[in-house]
Amino acid sequence: MYKILVSDPISPDGLKNLTDHSDFNVDIQTDLNETELAEIIPNYEGLIVRSQTQVTSNIIAAAPNLKVIARAGVGVDNIDVEAATKHGVIVINAPDGNTISATEHSMAMILSMARNVPQAHQSLKNGKWDRKAYRGTELYNKTLGVIGAGRIGIGVAKRAQSFGMNILAFDPYLSEDKAKELNVTRATVDEIAEQADFVTVHTPLTPKTRGIVDKAFFEKAKPTLQIINVARGGIIDEDALVEALDTDQIQGAAIDVFESGPATESPLVAHDKIIVTPHLGASTVEAQEKVAVSVANEIIDIFEHGNVVNAINAPKMSFNEINDELKPYIELSKLTGEVGIQLLEKAPRELQIKYKGDIALDDTSLLTRTLVSGVLRQDLAERVNLINALVLLNEQGVSYNIEKDTKHRGFSNYIELTLINKDTQIKIGATVLNGYGPRIVRINEYPVDFKPEKHQLVINHNDRPGIVGHTGQILGEYNINIASMHLGRTNQGGNALMILSIDHPVTQDVIDALYEIEGFNLIRSVELDVAVSENYNI
């Protein structure tokens, strides 16, 4: 029998399929501290948690028999996924179980905010009958800006339409055809800031989305703007939100998630113009049962059939089943996808992938999944893994095509990724050089040769004397050290490309200063995950 430990309160009805199964022995022990959990975890093959249990590297190291950690919820912030991966432990979650609950809570927050329901309730409870102080705003014929048009964002949009609201939607993967089908208008974040009466955010928290609603957003907004966040703390810059409310740049906010929690001491909680709830987006009886059912059924499927659907990390066997010569190209594929997506201005509608040389003879399916994961992870964050990458690519309406050719001049093995959005495209060529590791050797028409690093600047410019020196001077003024520099050009005095590896990420102020250099046409900051797993279970 497989022994499964449940260390947080989980819906008993949701776990019923697992607890009733003859092949599984389920123990429920909650409120364990790290020492207590470490003492008993060696006895179990599976662990089910919610958000209370912290599954640390020490816990995982103490669990030689552990095969699966399941989070009955969406995020996995309380699980050391890297440690689990290194120990060959699959981490799964239930990404869709709270969709309806989060959608409905978003609508509840919008309505409560628009009609001042919490404030009026408390005022009346305090013995006051003050109708004028809590005059509200109708939703009818107002514009709702939806930042993040995934399942929850679209769910909110559909419900808001029933109130007669007009919808502006931003999502890098929202196509024109899909927008027409949903009867929403595609918009940029700036257009939403300028036009929306209400704004709701529903993106994952990634480096691209952190602070996507910031001081500049509020400066563009209507003074009557009301905004909610039932997604992730950090998508809205909390300091900028408080400042915008204090200076009457916007009217109000409703916040369910915070940058850190419990958020009892947060200035957002004390602010008169903000209504707050303690992360209740998924706190319904139905949602908790759905996530429990999801992880229980998947645990059964993993142990009995080896099927994994909602893994955060890749199965250990994926790396061991490929030959040694192909292994270095896994990291190269990931980095190629990450570089390409950050150089394309808009989300791609098509991917063209070419494998040339000896690797074209091998099974490249793992390389393809890794490359696609690198592309998608910029926008979909931890939702993407090697198992679901191609499925999610299809869900975003992005097609892909693979070509193989055993012959290639110049390199024994070569990977080329082209990301296409209508008339815009980015082409990245990459290889692995013996003794030098992953190298990017082509960007569009420019021949280059550089090792992908954590922080990089990619600059399109006119080829002219003095540009390199001026660039170094400006970066020096901002105390940013250049680790390496690579130049590519098609002809003398024409268009050229400069790639800088730098020690620290750059701010917008640095980029603005660089744009003052005569001849600089386009500057892209590229941030890469260059940490290589010991067994490539990523």
Side-chain angles (χ1 to χ4, degrees):
M1 294 182 68
Y2 301 111
K3 295 190 67 176
I4 309 298
L5 174 64
V6 179
S7 62
D8 285 337
I10 307 289
S11 167
D13 291 338
L15 294 175
K16 186 173 175 57
N17 287 348
L18 189 62
T19 55
D20 289 353
H21 200 291
S22 60
D23 290 339
F24 292 88
N25 183 0
V26 180
D27 291 338
I28 300 175
Q29 298 189 50
T30 59
D31 298 320
L32 299 171
N33 61 37
E34 184 176 23
T35 301
E36 293 168 334
L37 181 55
E39 288 177 355
I40 65 172
I41 197 64
N43 301 318
Y44 296 94
E45 285 87 16
L47 173 64
I48 301 177
V49 302
R50 282 189 63 195
S51 57
Q52 180 177 330
T53 300
Q54 298 298 309
V55 188
T56 64
S57 58
N58 291 334
I59 298 297
I60 295 168
N65 299 314
L66 195 62
K67 302 295 187 297
V68 179
I69 301 169
R71 165 69 192 272
V74 179
V76 289
D77 296 343
N78 57 317
I79 301 171
D80 191 327
V81 177
E82 182 179 354
T85 299
K86 289 181 178 180
H87 286 79
V89 180
I90 298 172
V91 180
I92 64 172
N93 66 350
D96 302 323
N98 68 350
T99 298
I100 296 298
S101 292
T103 298
E104 291 182 354
H105 192 62
S106 298
M107 290 305 302
M109 295 290 267
I110 291 173
L111 288 164
S112 297
M113 178 177 59
R115 300 306 296 269
N116 300 304
V117 172
Q119 299 94 327
H121 167 84
Q122 190 59 50
S123 176
L124 186 54
K125 284 285 188 179
N126 292 339
K128 298 180 182 179
W129 187 269
D130 194 347
R131 298 177 64 193
K132 292 183 179 179
Y134 302 110
R135 184 178 291 119
T137 302
E138 289 185 353
L139 302 187
Y140 179 73
N141 213 26
K142 299 298 193 304
T143 296
L144 173 66
V146 179
I147 299 177
R151 290 185 180 93
I152 296 173
I154 292 302
V156 173
K158 289 179 178 178
R159 287 156 178 78
Q161 286 170 332
S162 69
F163 284 83
M165 301 190 81
N166 305 307
I167 309 298
L168 297 178
F170 166 78
D171 191 289
Y173 289 96
L174 179 63
S175 66
E176 292 181 6
D177 290 342
K178 185 65 174 179
K180 290 179 181 178
E181 177 187 333
L182 297 169
N183 194 29
V184 304
T185 301
R186 285 202 311 170
T188 65
V189 173
D190 284 346
E191 288 170 339
I192 288 175
E194 293 165 356
Q195 301 175 35
D197 302 294
F198 294 83
V199 168
T200 180
V201 296
H202 298 286
T203 70
L205 182 63
T206 71
K208 288 176 67 176
T209 63
R210 179 177 291 278
I212 194 171
V213 177
D214 57 6
K215 182 175 182 179
F217 183 98
F218 293 126
E219 288 173 347
K220 298 182 182 75
K222 298 178 180 179
T224 54
L225 174 68
Q226 300 183 65
I227 188 167
I228 75 162
N229 185 4
V230 185
R232 286 285 184 269
I235 297 172
I236 299 175
D237 185 316
E238 293 184 355
D239 292 336
L241 174 60
V242 170
E243 181 181 352
L245 291 167
D246 287 343
T247 58
D248 295 326
Q249 284 183 314
I250 66 170
Q251 182 174 323
I255 304 296
D256 182 55
V257 288
F258 303 83
E259 291 186 11
S260 60
T264 53
E265 303 300 320
S266 169
L268 275 63
V269 173
H271 204 287
D272 292 338
K273 295 182 180 180
I274 304 177
I275 65 172
V276 292
T277 50
H279 202 169
L280 299 182
S283 291
T284 61
V285 173
E286 295 84 356
Q288 294 310 306
E289 183 170 333
K290 287 176 185 175
V291 296
V293 167
S294 176
V295 297
N297 288 343
E298 186 155 359
I299 284 176
I300 294 171
D301 214 14
I302 288 171
F303 281 102
E304 292 203 328
H305 308 292
N307 297 327
V308 184
V309 177
N310 294 308
I312 299 303
N313 53 355
K316 188 174 182 179
M317 66 180 65
S318 296
F319 185 71
N320 293 336
E321 290 182 349
I322 64 174
N323 66 56
D324 291 338
E325 293 181 358
L326 202 61
K327 290 178 181 179
Y329 288 87
I330 297 176
E331 181 70 6
L332 179 72
S333 299
K334 179 174 73 72
L335 295 174
T336 300
E338 290 181 0
V339 171
I341 190 62
Q342 293 182 69
L343 295 182
L344 191 69
E345 184 176 359
K346 297 180 179 179
R349 308 314 313 167
E350 178 184 355
L351 302 183
Q352 294 179 356
I353 304 168
K354 296 181 180 180
Y355 298 108
K356 298 186 177 183
D358 297 338
I359 59 171
L361 297 170
D362 295 307
D363 179 4
T364 56
S365 59
L366 181 57
L367 298 185
T368 299
R369 293 198 301 271
T370 304
L371 192 152
V372 171
S373 296
V375 171
L376 292 180
R377 196 161 289 159
Q378 293 292 314
D379 293 295
L380 302 185
E382 71 274 2
R383 184 183 172 198
V384 184
N385 57 57
L386 298 182
I387 296 168
N388 64 14
L390 298 181
V391 174
L392 291 178
L393 189 73
N394 182 62
E395 282 187 3
Q396 306 307 318
V398 181
S399 63
Y400 73 98
N401 178 62
I402 297 174
E403 294 182 19
K404 291 187 175 184
D405 187 351
T406 57
K407 298 179 181 179
H408 185 261
R409 296 175 60 186
F411 304 101
S412 58
N413 290 302
Y414 177 78
I415 297 175
E416 186 174 274
L417 168 67
T418 305
L419 303 96
I420 303 170
N421 185 308
K422 293 186 177 179
D423 56 350
T424 303
Q425 70 175 38
I426 290 291
K427 183 174 294 185
I428 307 294
T431 190
V432 173
L433 297 181
N434 289 337
Y436 295 94
R439 310 290 292 189
I440 302 297
V441 295
R442 176 178 180 175
I443 297 180
N444 286 340
E445 69 272 24
Y446 300 105
V448 296
D449 180 12
F450 70 94
K451 178 183 178 182
E453 301 285 359
K454 188 173 182 62
H455 310 295
Q456 290 171 133
L457 286 174
V458 178
I459 303 171
N460 292 86
H461 62 93
N462 298 328
D463 183 32
R464 51 183 293 272
I467 276 188
V468 171
H470 203 171
T471 302
Q473 179 183 350
I474 289 179
L475 292 178
E477 291 172 357
Y478 284 89
N479 201 31
I480 295 175
N481 188 50
I482 299 174
S484 63
M485 175 182 292
H486 304 271
L487 300 171
R489 67 182 185 182
T490 54
N491 58 281
Q492 183 176 349
N495 294 326
L497 192 70
M498 181 190 306
I499 301 102
L500 302 173
S501 296
I502 52 182
D503 289 349
H504 305 286
V506 298
T507 63
Q508 188 60 45
D509 289 342
V510 177
I511 293 176
D512 291 342
L514 289 172
Y515 268 123
E516 295 297 321
I517 298 176
E518 183 181 353
F520 272 17
N521 303 317
L522 183 63
I523 303 171
R524 286 277 188 266
S525 175
V526 176
E527 300 291 316
L528 301 179
D529 177 12
V530 295
V532 183
S533 171
E534 291 179 4
N535 55 11
Y536 284 84
N537 291 337
I538 51 179

